[in-house]
Amino acid sequence: MESSRVKPGLNGVEGKGEAGARQVVAGRSQRLVGAVLRALAVALTLVAAVVMGLDRQTTTIPFQLVPTLPPLHIAVTAKWSHSSAFKYFVVANVIVCIYSAFSLVASLLAGASKKSLSLAMPIAIGDLIMVALLFSSVGAAMDFGLLGVHGNSHLRWNKVCGVYGKFCEKVQVAIVLSMLGSCVFLVLVILSIISLHKRSK
């Protein structure tokens, strides 16, 4: 009689229950991490767009018309809108910020329901597009920013960051924030790939 009793876990019922519980906990943890990362992406891209969008500096530059006359002092303003690369940077960060907010709300509303399964693939594709968009905008802004720092002797473009120091500093801050946002989305893409791989098993 004693040997005929079913010991806990030997028939696989209890083992499956424990495995299911672990999967639920793991799913909740992954959704929490994803929500935190998306909220962080919203903050980073929003601040990056605001810092760049409000960046401007006016300075006085001496301009020599005639060598025998004293130079004229002209007030010149540097703005983000003077550069197509910076315009692209601001627009890209605004787009990513809006997408991050919508995807965060959608993932929170879906939760662990069946809707989350149908949203997983579109969100993963959207995250991948946002990574490409952010990295391309950061690259464009960095390329133009380096011209401001070092100039280009071949094209006879002078360095301007020596004149517009505060303007260039804010540009650097915006680029760093956007780069961090790009890394956040890269992590989100990796997590999405891992999650989709587990669900396909």
Side-chain angles (χ1 to χ4, degrees), residues 5-127:
R5 291 180 182 178
V6 178
K7 295 183 179 180
L10 290 182
N11 59 352
V13 175
E14 190 171 307
K16 290 181 180 179
E18 291 177 356
R22 285 196 296 267
Q23 288 180 357
V24 171
V25 173
R28 288 177 180 175
S29 300
Q30 187 169 350
R31 285 194 299 274
L32 178 60
V33 172
V36 171
L37 289 175
R38 290 186 189 281
L40 183 59
V42 171
L44 289 171
T45 52
L46 177 61
V47 176
V50 170
V51 170
M52 182 70 82
L54 297 178
D55 192 12
R56 60 179 295 165
Q57 182 182 356
T58 301
T59 187
T60 303
I61 299 176
F63 186 72
Q64 190 79 40
L65 288 175
V66 182
T68 57
L69 296 176
L72 297 175
H73 291 82
I74 303 173
V76 182
T77 301
K79 295 174 62 178
W80 67 275
S81 57
H82 294 163
S83 166
S84 58
F86 291 161
K87 287 181 181 178
Y88 174 52
F89 178 89
V90 172
V91 171
N93 277 271
V94 170
I95 291 173
V96 174
C97 181
I98 294 173
Y99 166 82
S100 302
F102 276 107
S103 62
L104 173 61
V105 173
S107 60
L108 290 176
L109 292 177
S113 62
K114 293 182 178 180
K115 291 182 179 180
S116 63
L117 298 176
S118 59
L119 287 174
M121 183 60 74
I123 288 179
I125 295 173
D127 291 347

Side-chain angles (χ1 to χ4, degrees), residues 144-161:
F144 192 81
L146 288 174
L147 286 176
V149 175
H150 301 291
N152 191 319
S153 58
H154 300 287
L155 298 175
R156 295 183 180 180
W157 288 352
N158 297 325
K159 304 174 184 179
V160 297
C161 284

